[in-house]
Amino acid sequence: MRAEAQDHVDTINAALALLRRFLDWDRAVRRLDELNAKVEDPTLWDSPKAAQEVMRERRRLDEAITATRAIEKERDDTVELIELAEMEGDEALVDDAVASLAALAARAEDDKIKALLAGEADSYDCYIEVHAGAGGTESQDWAEMLQRMYSRWAEKRGMKVELIEYQAGDQAGIKSATMLVKGENAYGYAKTESGVHRLVRISPYDSSARRHTSFSSVWVYPVIDDNIEIEIKESDLKIDTYRASGAGGQHVNTTDSAVRITHMPTGIVVASQIDRSQHKNRATAMGMLKARLYEAELQKREAEASGEYQAKTEIGWGHQIRSYVLQPYQLVKDLRTGVTSTAPGDVLDGALDPFMAAALSQKVTGEKVEVEDID
């Protein structure tokens, strides 16, 4: 079999192996049989809420198991076709079959990621916060580049983006910004982006054209609904109001309508200036605070489940998850998974899916990769 075809088969096999591991295949098949039996029970809908939970779990398992079996069968059939075509010397048929394997490999990768997005909050909308690090204009410009990168990523996926909070930089860029991203599995995809991002480039603000290294942090957390109860004591809050600022237009206000809330026990700070009403901005900021506290609990549970929990709060500076080098060569490298791209322009224009997919897969496998940072 051609090397190209074998590469596609290897990709499919790796995706299927991860799917089976994630689903805990034998347990998932047994569980689906149990759920199918429950669905046939006429008393199920005596409790509509419980019934909806059963139907939701059944649908998720059924879709994942059916998709896995379909890909396995199509893989086997296509490999058999290639072998027969090669025996008969039918190169045209081999070409068609290899193309089918390539499409199947892409589908397997897509199905793998969909299955991995089964976390408690993965289907939710999310907030993405970007904060410039130390370094003045350099870091503030980098923070704005990151804000644009996530906006472009979301738009390419058909998601909607709303700017919730925006603090303009002193000369260029931004000090901070918070975006609300609305779309299917927004949090599930974007949650892997939380951390410190490092940029190396020839500074456009340095007359000597020297290389500069800049840092900005990203924090992603889910939008939660009213059914999730988060208790917050009023005495734990420090609430400040200020005048919204920005580059102009929607970011400019003439009253102190923007609201910043600090949760004293955790040090979490959220802010909103999306509305001209201080009351509405406060409600938005409270929603963001509840979401941050909920996300912190999710992270704690996930870490405890994997036996890696350590008491800590924010991701610290210097703990970068990805480096972006624009000069003297061009390379983006994820320091958790080792995934790289030699087209940083595409990455900064929103081509983030390979990085997100690898990080999601790593959460399932638990495999640590030794990755050296780049200069």
Side-chain angles (χ1 to χ4, degrees), residues 145-272:
M145 291 167 67
L146 287 173
Q147 181 205 351
R148 178 186 180 279
M149 179 179 77
Y150 291 115
S151 294
R152 294 290 294 128
W153 167 78
E155 290 164 0
K156 287 180 177 180
R157 281 198 157 269
M159 300 179 184
K160 294 182 179 179
V161 180
E162 296 178 13
L163 196 59
I164 300 295
E165 184 269 341
Y166 180 98
Q167 291 293 314
D170 296 325
Q171 297 180 21
I174 59 173
K175 294 179 180 178
S176 68
T178 302
M179 297 174 287
L180 170 59
V181 180
K182 298 180 178 180
E184 183 179 2
N185 293 320
Y187 176 67
Y189 283 109
K191 67 182 180 182
T192 61
E193 293 297 296
S194 288
V196 176
H197 296 246
R198 169 178 173 258
L199 173 70
V200 180
R201 65 171 176 175
I202 301 296
S203 171
Y205 304 101
D206 187 335
S207 58
S208 300
R210 291 171 295 187
R211 279 211 312 169
H212 284 248
T213 297
S214 305
F215 295 92
S216 288
S217 69
V218 174
W219 196 265
V220 182
Y221 49 103
V223 177
I224 62 174
D225 57 36
D226 294 334
N227 294 325
I228 299 175
E229 295 183 5
I230 305 292
E231 182 179 350
I232 300 176
K233 297 179 181 178
E234 191 72 23
S235 59
D236 287 340
L237 303 179
K238 177 187 176 185
I239 301 176
D240 300 305
T241 59
Y242 59 97
R243 187 165 299 179
S245 65
Q250 63 176 324
H251 307 306
V252 174
N253 206 340
T254 56
T255 62
D256 291 343
S257 61
V259 175
R260 181 187 297 110
I261 300 178
T262 304
H263 187 245
M264 305 302 288
T266 61
I268 291 174
V269 180
V270 294
S272 173

Side-chain angles (χ1 to χ4, degrees), residues 26-95:
D26 292 337
R27 185 206 64 80
V29 172
R30 289 195 303 271
R31 179 59 177 163
L32 181 59
D33 289 340
E34 293 172 3
L35 294 171
N36 285 333
K38 283 187 177 183
V39 169
E40 294 175 2
D41 185 346
T43 64
L44 174 66
W45 289 96
D46 290 348
S47 175
K49 186 175 181 179
Q52 288 174 358
E53 288 296 322
V54 168
M55 296 300 290
R56 187 179 297 113
E57 183 183 2
R58 175 181 175 272
R59 182 174 62 252
R60 183 182 69 81
L61 281 177
D62 184 56
E63 288 177 353
I65 290 171
T66 299
T68 301
R69 286 172 171 164
I71 290 172
E72 288 174 336
K73 184 177 187 305
E74 191 172 339
R75 174 203 60 194
D76 293 342
D77 290 347
T78 307
V79 168
E80 184 178 352
L81 178 61
I82 289 175
E83 291 172 347
L84 288 172
E86 287 178 338
M87 288 175 60
E88 296 175 1
D90 190 338
E91 291 299 318
L93 185 56
V94 172
D95 290 341

